[in-house]
Amino acid sequence: MGAEVMGPQEKPRRVRMTPGARRVLAAAERLFYEHGIHAVGVDTIAAEAGVTKKTLYDRFGSKEQIVVEYLAGRDERWRELLAGRLAAAGEGPAARVVAVFEASRAWSELYGAKGCSMINAHAEISDPGHPAYPVITGQKRWMLDLFTGLARDIDAAGADRLARTLVLLHEGALVSHGVGVLPDPFGAALDQVRELLDG
């Protein structure tokens, strides 16, 4: 198969998860996703998690590291969900492309009412020096690589163009879902994908 679900990537520095760290991260994930990263301070995270600020800093060292853990954790869970969907789709590359969009729809309904956490984070973190920046861009690069591998299995000569089109449809559906203007952005994107693949 041309597309691997767990391809190589630059691994961010991660922290060992103690029970206190897990409570901090669970609280931070809820707060960051609901209110935005910049709007949520460590005092609020610590209070929500029921830990002291000292515990928070002892476990993570900085708010920036909490952001890394938040985004990397969501990315890991997304890849796990996607791996299951791709395995269920079988070997056919067109079915696997459709499975990516269907997985994104399922993920968004369960965990993404406000849209893609990576896109939302990028709106707040544009500094390449921020430790979470490579997590954000790496996740999107990984999605492009995934679609490129699938596209090669469909049309080797036009793989790059097809992959870029699939990424644009996918990211557009994610953003539209978060904005809530279109009634079923993933359905609309899937219609376009099926037309594209049939053609």
Side-chain angles (χ1 to χ4, degrees), residues 19-31:
R22 286 191 189 92
R23 288 199 308 276
V24 168
L25 187 56
E29 179 164 347
R30 284 193 307 274
L31 292 164

Side-chain angles (χ1 to χ4, degrees), residues 76-144:
E76 287 169 356
R77 293 194 305 277
W78 155 244
R79 293 186 196 208
E80 186 178 333
L81 181 145
L82 180 56
R85 294 297 183 109
L86 288 173
E91 299 293 320
R96 290 166 64 79
V97 169
V98 169
V100 176
F101 283 82
E102 290 176 340
S104 289
R105 174 194 264 159
W107 172 274
S108 295
E109 289 171 355
L110 288 170
Y111 309 113
K114 289 182 170 283
C116 174
S117 57
M118 299 295 169
I119 293 169
N120 296 346
H122 190 263
E124 298 190 73
I125 300 169
S126 58
D127 176 11
H130 191 290
Y133 190 84
V135 179
I136 298 165
T137 56
Q139 199 273 341
K140 295 305 179 186
R141 204 168 289 116
W142 182 83
M143 288 300 299
L144 175 59

